[in-house]
Amino acid sequence: MASTAAGKQRIPKVAKVKNKAPADVQITAEQLLREAKERELELLPPPPKQKITNAEELNDYKLRKRKAFEDNIRKNRTIISNWIKYAQWEESQKEVQRARSIYERALDVDHRNITLWLKYAEMEMKNRQVNHARNIWDRAITILPRVNQFWYKYTYMEEMLGNVAGCRQAFERWMEWEPDEQAWHSYINFELRYKEVDKARTIYERFVMVHPEVKNWIKYARFEEKHGYIAHSRKVYERAAEFYGEDHVNENLFVAFAKFEEMQKEFERVRVIYKYALDKIPKNQAQELFKNYTMFEKKFGDRRGIEDVIINKRRFQYEEEVKANPLNYDAWFDYLRLVESDGDPDTVRDVYERAIANIPPIQEKRHWRRYIYLWINYALYEELEVKDPERTRQVYQACLDLMPHKKFTFAKIWLLFAQFEIRQKNLQAARKIMGTAIGKCPKNKLLKGYIELELQLREFDRCRKLYEKYLEFSPENCTTWIKFAELETILGDVERSRAIFELAIGQPRLDMPEVLWKSYIDFEIEQEEFENTRNLYKRLLQRTQHVKVWISYAKFELSVDGPDRLAKCRQIFEEANKSMRNCEEKEERLMLLESWRDFEKEFGSDSSRERVSKLLPEKVKKRRKLTAEDGSDAGWEEYYDYIFPEDAANQPNLKLLAMAKMWKRQQINTDEPQEKGRSVEEAPSVEAEETGLAEKQAEEEPARNMTESEQEKTYDDRDDEDSSSSSSSDSDEDEEAKKKQSKSPQEDKD
């Protein structure tokens, strides 16, 4: 019945999770582990301590432990830690033979395990089994000769035992395998501990052949130096230099060699070593060499030696730069400046010739601007430093032959060449050079330079001819006309100067006509020909109505002494004002009136001042519609405009605006009872009008603080962009004024 009941026992059904949504509070794996650690669920209570009281219990304990170790080994023979624990336990039980047997069994499993050999040998050494330990080390280095740890421990054991011969023999066996550098140093230090310098030298000889690095040669040489073998040390350095040859030169070797010779006070040898190394080593790999050479010269060399070091260092840098980019003319300039400071003409000429050989590949002037200064500096160096006129002449001529004059030229080269010939007192050659320049490629700078040259020589007839040539070449150049006229004035030929000015202003094209007219007028004023000056002003005003001409004319009349000078000046201002009424540039008209106002303030009466002040315009702010390039609307733009009283009289819109303002002022001055008698329907409009008036007064307050002529208002020209447009606020007031005017007759009737 029990079995039946057990068979019929139902397995509880797993509850189905209806809500599969994630819980609000999530528990991470880290939290689960932390809670398990806090509760220490997996910790087992420590086994009870067992005290062994007799040999039988001890044997029983050993049997159980050995059985456990053997079971572990039987489960997995390849886990070496089990073997090591087993052997160490047997060693702790003073069963060295059993431990040795376990290590041998483990080596049969994995004889390439380094830890196993080390533990085995340490056990034998700990138990003072020297021969056994030696046997184990010998087997280990035979099986695994590339494991340096075995060799280090083997040699250390032999040395501690005092077996120097055995230790040396182990080292020799080790060196046959050509180990790393540290092994060789260990062998050398071993021999030095026993004062075997010759044997250490022999080891060094083998060492530098097995590991032929520069640092090892340097260590070998310092070893010889340390033990007092100076000749041997120098020979090692020389052998190292020969060993590497010229193809694999290293700066560290020569720095060490030079420092060695410096310690021996062989300064000439040091200098030779540094110079040899600098010649053989690439410049970008010799930074430390340069630094040490400079320090050496500062300590033991003279001033010339120090300068040579610095110059050589910078020369190498510049050589690298110009080699990388021969068209880098700035690098050539720096290089030339350096070699010029050295003072060797042949070297400087050689560098100049190399520099000028790098002709710009494109015949465009912008590419030649820096290059041409190489030729200029070359010529100046030959003339000023070397003092060789013939070679200087050849440099200038070669430069001129090289330039493509049909495409462009450089006036400075021609002028410098001519000035050089004048310094050589060869005036004919200088004139010939300038004549050739003007014939081949006439330029303003060339003609100006030639004229200045002849002026310095006081050859005025030649200057006249050159000015005539210049004006034939460039008749629109106003500066040339002015200079020509000034020359004739200086020479006292006033009529000729006046004729030149007349020819100048009669030219159809001029680059700066205002300067020319001003010079002509100033010339007549200097000659005190006031009538001619007035005629010039009148002729100029026929060509242009510029406001500055009128103002200048008025100031001229004011400056001429006479009883009616004020009347003439005032008359000119009036004529100017009349002529500029139709001028579109209102700022110029304002400038004229302001100048007139300043004149009246100083010389006029009250009536004349009041008259001019009435002519001053009113400054208003307007808006105009902007249109983009594609024709779309770009918004509105504010700008300032000036409304002149003379123009306002002709514009009805402005009259209407003025009438609206007057009506508003009358409305303000009306009595309060009249306002109360108005209908309730009109009250909001009156309040709005009063509010608008208060805002308008607040806006006009800053404008009243301006000058008498500038009262700022806001206008809107969305409907009319001309001067008849008015501001948006005033347009509203205008409409209200019209409504009020239409209502006023009815109110009067009432």
Side-chain angles (χ1 to χ4, degrees), residues 10 162 173 294 317 480 530 537 627 692 721:
R10 293 180 180 179
R173 289 176 61 188
T294 307
Q317 293 174 355
T480 309
F530 301 129
Y537 270 118
T627 307
E721 295 183 1

Side-chain angles (χ1 to χ4, degrees), residues 188-205:
I188 292 166
N189 293 333
F190 163 75
E191 295 292 357
L192 291 177
R193 283 197 292 271
Y194 296 98
K195 312 298 183 187
E196 297 287 348
V197 178
D198 293 335
K199 291 184 178 180
R201 183 181 295 115
T202 306
I203 298 167
Y204 260 120
E205 289 287 343

Side-chain angles (χ1 to χ4, degrees), residues 71 76 108 115 122 178 185 196 227 259 337 360 382 394 617 626 741:
D71 289 341
N76 196 341
D108 289 338
T115 307
E122 285 174 4
E178 297 182 356
H185 290 312
E196 297 287 348
H227 291 87
K259 286 182 178 179
R337 199 177 299 115
E382 292 289 351
Q394 292 174 4
L626 295 179
Q741 284 178 355

Side-chain angles (χ1 to χ4, degrees), residues 651-664 689 692-693 696 714-716 719 724-743:
Q651 295 180 6
N653 289 341
L654 295 177
K655 285 185 178 181
L656 184 62
L657 181 63
M659 290 173 64
K661 290 179 180 177
M662 289 176 63
W663 181 84
K664 185 170 284 187
E689 287 173 3
L693 179 61
K696 186 64 179 180
T714 306
Y715 282 81
D716 187 359
D719 299 328
S724 61
S725 61
S726 60
S727 66
S728 59
S729 61
D730 288 344
S731 64
D732 296 339
E733 293 174 5
D734 195 4
E735 291 176 3
E736 290 179 6
K738 289 180 182 178
K739 291 178 182 178
K740 294 296 181 183
Q741 284 178 355
S742 62
K743 290 179 181 180

Side-chain angles (χ1 to χ4, degrees), residues 427-467:
L427 185 58
Q428 294 299 324
R431 284 176 174 155
K432 185 177 179 182
I433 290 164
M434 294 307 298
T436 306
I438 294 171
K440 278 188 175 181
C441 42
K443 288 181 66 176
N444 290 335
K445 193 173 180 181
L446 279 173
L447 290 160
K448 285 180 185 177
Y450 197 2
I451 290 168
E452 288 175 5
L453 183 64
E454 295 294 353
L455 277 174
Q456 291 173 0
L457 297 171
R458 301 295 185 267
E459 294 286 347
F460 300 116
D461 290 334
R462 288 182 174 273
C463 288
R464 285 191 177 106
K465 291 179 182 178
L466 287 171
Y467 269 122

Side-chain angles (χ1 to χ4, degrees), residues 151 167-177 187 191 203 206:
W151 295 100
C167 184
R168 185 176 290 116
Q169 185 179 4
F171 269 119
E172 286 295 332
R173 289 176 61 188
W174 191 8
M175 295 305 114
E176 290 176 1
W177 291 95
Y187 191 12
E191 295 292 357
I203 298 167
R206 295 161 58 191

Side-chain angles (χ1 to χ4, degrees), residues 58 79 113 148 199 313 380 489 532 573 580 607 617 632 640 668 713:
L58 178 62
I79 299 177
N113 191 290
N148 292 336
K199 291 184 178 180
K313 181 178 180 180
L380 293 176
T489 306
N532 289 346
F573 275 122
M580 296 190 71
S607 60
S632 60
Y640 286 99
I668 295 170
K713 295 180 179 60

